[in-house]
Each structure stands twice: as structure tokens, then as C-alpha cells.
Amino acid sequence: RLHLVTWNVGTASPPPDVTSLLQLNSLGPTMDMYVIGLQEVNSRITNFLSDMAFDDPWSIFFMTVLSPLGYIKLSSIRMQGLLLLIFVKHMHLPFIRGIHTQYTRTGLYGYWGNKGGVSIRMSLYGHTICFVNCHLPAHMENTEQRLDDFEKILEMQFEGDNIPSPMDHDVLFWFGDLNFRIADYGIHFVRESINNKRFSLLWEKDQLNMAKKTEAFLKEFREGPLQFKPTYKFDLYSDVYDTSEKKRKPAWTDRILWKIKNLCQNASKEGDFPEEEQTISVTLNNYVSHMSYGISDHKPVTGTFGLELKPLVSDPLVVLSPEGEWDAEHDVIIRYSAVPEFPSSAWDWIGLFKVTFRHVNDYITYAWVEDDEISSNKNSKQVYMSATEMPNMGGEFLLCYYSNNLQSIVGISEPFQIHPRKTSIKKDLTQEENSWMQKPDNLESHDES
């Protein structure tokens, strides 16, 4: 289950709550992956430079929301105001490989990244998937420029050997502030149609729908029905369309589309998809806007998808686990084994993480798999971690094996307990006793006063 968000945030700070945006109160099964594409993230030079050194406020915000729920930030890419974030449940990490990011500038002749696209690609259970978050040129008359820019973005090359272009992935998701407008109709007709919920009257004049009929490279892209109000342009903190002097015509600028490779060629004459050929299918379960968010002049749009995959990869490259009971007072041992074809490196490491860790650099401590190895046989290897690095207070933790060659986590343990250091327990008890003994004095002096 994949939940995809696109939102032009208009340089605003994150809102207080995103429960409904991320469908966190949904009664159905939880999401396996969140893909969040933002446009117009605050990109003043000072902000951008500080965000390059540290995570930007939006990344930190979503990590804070999602990490306690068992999601890790798998990857992210930022280009000026464009930001793309991917979060996944821990259990999927060993089956996600070949993660690469790339960006394409199109604004101001490609010199400034205020417009363009950012992409993240990966292999998920052996299937190639690419996500492209775009911010295309604005204004009614720039349809051709939008199409040209998107074609240029689709030609981006990921660094590395034998990595397909975006269009050659098994599944390609295309989303963002695509800026396509509603042509021909005047503002009064458009607003009247929206007020009467007669959205279908506007669909045939939507510039993206029109382009899909004429542009060959768009014909394979699919989109859910636009059964929600156009998401642009609103007065801030309201669901009222633009009341400024410009009175912009409402438009479905914020969109989510997808394409499955070779689906057209595989379809039989009856329109069926032969089961043995179709190893991946995409089902759109929900395509909606979220009117309650008013921090910018755009409303966010989400698409909830079911990805049905025939796993081409079903075994993790590395299996690892803690040896015996762990406590914070003793050196500990990790046992791991790798599949024969695993491309190990002297720079591989095993990290100890809290179960609520945010991203791969969020480790408590780590061990180098070669330098800290203490035994090896053909079936498994053992690595030690020093007691000096153990968390004194103990708690629930995970072990993750990070591959330097693959630049990703390729193995993850089941959660396990580390028992706290006894001195820490005594210290806590002593502190509690002291504070308890002080309380009567405090109360007494309070009564006297």
C-alpha cells in the first residue's frame, strides 16, 4: 500500500497536524510506503544553505510524525523549492535496492532550480519503480513549455551502470504542481460548474487531459477521475477561490499520474492482461484533495495505491541477529550471514538503532563488519560491539546491516531488548528517593508562605 502526497506549500512552515493528509486514522491496513512530493519549500538562499547542512523543517517534521509509527526515511532529494521524501516500513528495507536520486533544472534556461523535477528510483522486490516530483511553468499560455519541460525531465539519466531512464522503469509515478489550467471557459462558468459539483463539464478543457489525447509520450499515463474541486488558487486559510485583484481562474494544477511499462503491448485484444506476463499491477484506491489545509494557495492532493507484485526477490541479502541476552554492561555479539552473491565491502557496517529510528544515520553505535569480526565460518560470521557504546538505559532496538557498495540497508533484525546498566537503575532510584524526600519540605514552605 502506497500513499502519495503532492503539495505546493507556498514557502509556508509545516501545519500543526497531518493526520488526515497521511490517513493515519484510517481503519484499513496501514501504508507500507509514503511518497511525499512538495513544491515551493522555502528556498531563500540562507534557508537553502542551512537546509543543505541539516535536514530542512519539512523533512524533520515528517520524520517526527512517521518514525514512531515504524517508518524510516528511505531517501530524499531537494532542488531549491522541490523536495521529494520516501518513507517505508522497516520490514521492506532488505528488499529495496538500487536507490538513486537525480534532478533536472528547467527554470531560467536551466540555471536556477525554481522549476524542474526531482526523482528517486529503486528496485522494490526486484521491480523497478521511479517517482518524479515536478514543478512546471505557470500561466494559461505555457502549455507547450510545460510539455517540453516534462519531456526534458523524462530524459534525465541516473548516475550508475545500467540504470533505466524514468520511462523504462516497470512503474513510473509522475506528480507535482504541473500547472495545467482549464482552457477556453471563462471564470464565471468555471466557478459555477464547481459550485454545482459538475466537474465533468470542465474535464474536456483541462489542458493535461487535452494533451494526453495528442501527445504520444503522455498516452500511457493514467490518472484517477478528478472528482474533487480544482486545487488552485485559494485565499490562505480558507476554501474560497482567489478574491485578489488577479482573480485567478481555478485549475487542477496538482496531479498524480502513473504508467506501467509495456502494459499496452501486453494487453490482449479483449483488453485482459495475461496473468503470467503481468508481474506487477497498480490499483488506485483513492484520489482526493484535502480542503482543510490552508497554509498555501494550493490544496494538497493524495493518491492511495495498491501495488501487487510478484516478488522477483524474496530473500534478504543479509540475515542478522543479536547473540543471546544483551545488557548495557557487557560486550555483545552479532551473528550474520550473507547470500553467496552478496557484494560485501570492508566499509560495510552494522548499526544499532532504536526501533523508532528516523534514517540510516540515526544509529546509536555501529561495528565495522571486517575490523570488528571475531569469528567466521562458511555459514555465518560474528562481530562484537563494545559495552562502552551500549545505551545505559536499555530499551527496544534493531540491528541493521548497511552495504557500502549498494548504499542501502540490506538486512534488518527483529526488535530485541537491551537490559539497562544496573548503576543507571540505582542512579534513577536514588534520584527518585531524593526528590520524594524533598517534597514535604517544599509543601511545608508553601503552606507557611
Side-chain angles (χ1 to χ4, degrees):
R1 283 170 60 83
L2 182 152
H3 189 70
L4 204 154
V5 178
T6 179
W7 193 3
N8 182 323
V9 297
T11 73
S13 298
D17 185 81
V18 284
T19 301
S20 63
L21 183 73
L22 301 181
Q23 294 191 353
L24 298 178
N25 285 343
S26 167
L27 295 173
T30 57
M31 302 300 163
D32 295 285
M33 182 181 286
Y34 283 98
V35 178
I36 299 165
L38 305 179
Q39 306 86 38
E40 288 195 33
V41 172
N42 192 339
S43 60
R44 290 199 300 266
I45 290 294
T46 50
N47 289 77
F48 186 61
L49 292 176
S50 65
D51 291 351
M52 290 292 282
F54 312 100
D55 274 315
D56 64 279
W58 281 93
S59 297
I60 293 166
F61 172 73
F62 281 114
M63 282 191 283
T64 304
V65 171
L66 290 170
S67 65
L69 304 175
Y71 297 91
I72 172 182
K73 187 183 87 173
L74 178 77
S75 184
S76 67
I77 181 167
R78 168 104 188 253
M79 180 187 76
Q80 298 296 110
L82 273 170
L83 176 64
L84 179 55
L85 300 161
I86 297 183
F87 294 86
V88 294
K89 276 191 166 172
H90 298 159
M91 60 186 283
H92 301 299
L93 285 174
F95 306 100
I96 299 174
R97 299 171 194 171
I99 303 162
H100 291 82
T101 61
Q102 188 56 280
Y103 61 85
T104 304
R105 294 188 178 98
T106 58
L108 287 179
Y109 309 103
Y111 290 112
W112 187 243
N114 61 328
K115 293 289 191 292
V118 289
S119 295
I120 299 175
R121 63 86 56 196
M122 68 189 72
S123 162
L124 176 67
Y125 290 93
H127 299 271
T128 56
I129 298 186
C130 184
F131 300 94
V132 182
N133 171 26
C134 291
H135 193 182
L136 300 180
H139 307 307
M140 180 70 70
E141 65 277 10
N142 283 333
T143 308
E144 288 305 315
Q145 186 64 51
R146 286 188 271 278
L147 294 171
D148 288 349
D149 283 6
F150 181 50
E151 268 200 288
K152 182 183 175 188
I153 290 164
L154 286 177
E155 289 165 4
M156 73 168 70
Q157 296 294 315
F158 294 97
E159 289 180 18
D161 296 331
N162 304 319
I163 300 173
S165 67
M167 288 288 267
D168 282 331
H169 282 70
D170 295 331
V171 183
L172 169 61
F173 287 93
W174 170 38
F175 49 94
D177 178 359
L178 308 184
N179 256 321
F180 290 101
R181 307 304 169 100
I182 296 168
D184 299 344
Y185 297 139
I187 188 168
H188 297 296
F189 179 80
V190 171
R191 288 193 174 188
E192 199 59 33
S193 301
I194 294 167
N195 291 338
N196 295 322
K197 291 194 166 65
R198 300 182 70 184
F199 305 134
S200 58
L201 295 177
L202 308 175
W203 291 345
E204 64 183 29
K205 294 297 181 182
D206 171 79
Q207 290 175 333
L208 181 53
N209 285 341
M210 291 159 73
K212 281 174 69 181
K213 291 174 185 171
T214 57
E215 300 289 336
F217 76 100
L218 289 181
K219 286 183 178 174
E220 288 180 51
F221 281 96
R222 302 177 65 184
E223 183 181 19
L226 296 167
Q227 290 175 340
F228 49 86
K229 291 169 75 168
T231 51
Y232 172 84
K233 172 183 168 81
F234 289 90
D235 291 346
L236 295 185
Y237 299 102
S238 80
D239 54 7
V240 176
Y241 284 107
D242 189 13
T243 58
S244 72
E245 285 180 19
K246 289 184 178 176
K247 284 199 168 50
R248 296 264 188 224
K249 192 162 59 168
W252 284 290
T253 54
D254 309 280
R255 312 285 278 270
I256 300 171
L257 296 92
W258 74 98
K259 182 187 88 69
I260 302 178
K261 187 182 174 187
N262 297 334
L263 196 57
C264 299
Q265 292 101 303
N266 288 346
S268 64
K269 285 175 187 171
E270 291 80 25
D272 298 325
F273 303 122
E275 268 182 49
E276 64 276 9
E277 286 186 31
Q278 216 43 50
T279 57
I280 183 166
S281 68
V282 177
T283 307
L284 176 67
N285 298 325
N286 205 358
Y287 189 35
V288 293
S289 67
H290 297 260
M291 294 295 290
S292 63
Y293 294 94
I295 60 171
S296 81
D297 53 1
H298 290 251
K299 300 298 181 186
V301 170
T302 62
T304 307
F305 296 87
L307 265 63
E308 210 163 305
L309 309 167
K310 195 176 192 176
L312 305 176
V313 171
S314 52
D315 295 318
L317 293 171
V318 173
V319 174
L320 73 166
S321 61
E323 285 266 280
E325 294 273 304
W326 279 28
D327 66 56
E329 300 195 51
H330 299 99
D331 292 351
V332 291
I333 295 172
I334 302 155
R335 182 182 293 275
Y336 77 91
S337 59
V339 297
E341 66 273 19
F342 175 59
S344 64
S345 153
W347 296 103
D348 290 357
W349 51 273
I350 294 172
L352 177 69
F353 294 84
K354 287 182 177 176
V355 287
T356 56
F357 76 115
R358 296 175 171 208
H359 50 78
V360 72
N361 294 329
D362 206 8
Y363 50 81
I364 306 297
T365 183
Y366 63 89
W368 295 106
V369 296
E370 285 199 10
D371 288 356
D372 299 316
E373 185 180 296
I374 53 172
S375 83
S376 172
N377 61 45
K378 67 173 186 181
N379 295 322
S380 68
K381 296 185 178 186
Q382 289 183 322
V383 172
Y384 90 99
M385 272 184 182
S386 166
T388 57
E389 306 293 333
M390 287 294 110
N392 288 335
M393 300 308 298
E396 195 174 19
F397 295 86
L398 293 161
L399 292 166
C400 295
Y401 187 113
Y402 184 83
S403 162
N404 186 63
N405 286 333
L406 300 177
Q407 294 285 296
S408 62
I409 290 171
V410 294
I412 187 164
S413 75
E414 292 292 323
F416 63 96
Q417 290 290 330
I418 296 180
H419 302 296
R421 196 180 291 270
K422 290 192 178 102
T423 50
S424 295
I425 298 171
K426 282 180 188 167
K427 198 172 166 187
D428 280 0
L429 287 171
T430 308
Q431 283 173 345
E432 273 184 41
E433 282 170 15
N434 289 341
S435 62
W436 180 79
M437 287 171 74
Q438 286 167 9
K439 276 179 186 171
D441 294 341
N442 294 340
L443 288 170
E444 218 169 280
S445 61
H446 179 73
D447 289 339
E448 281 173 14
S449 64

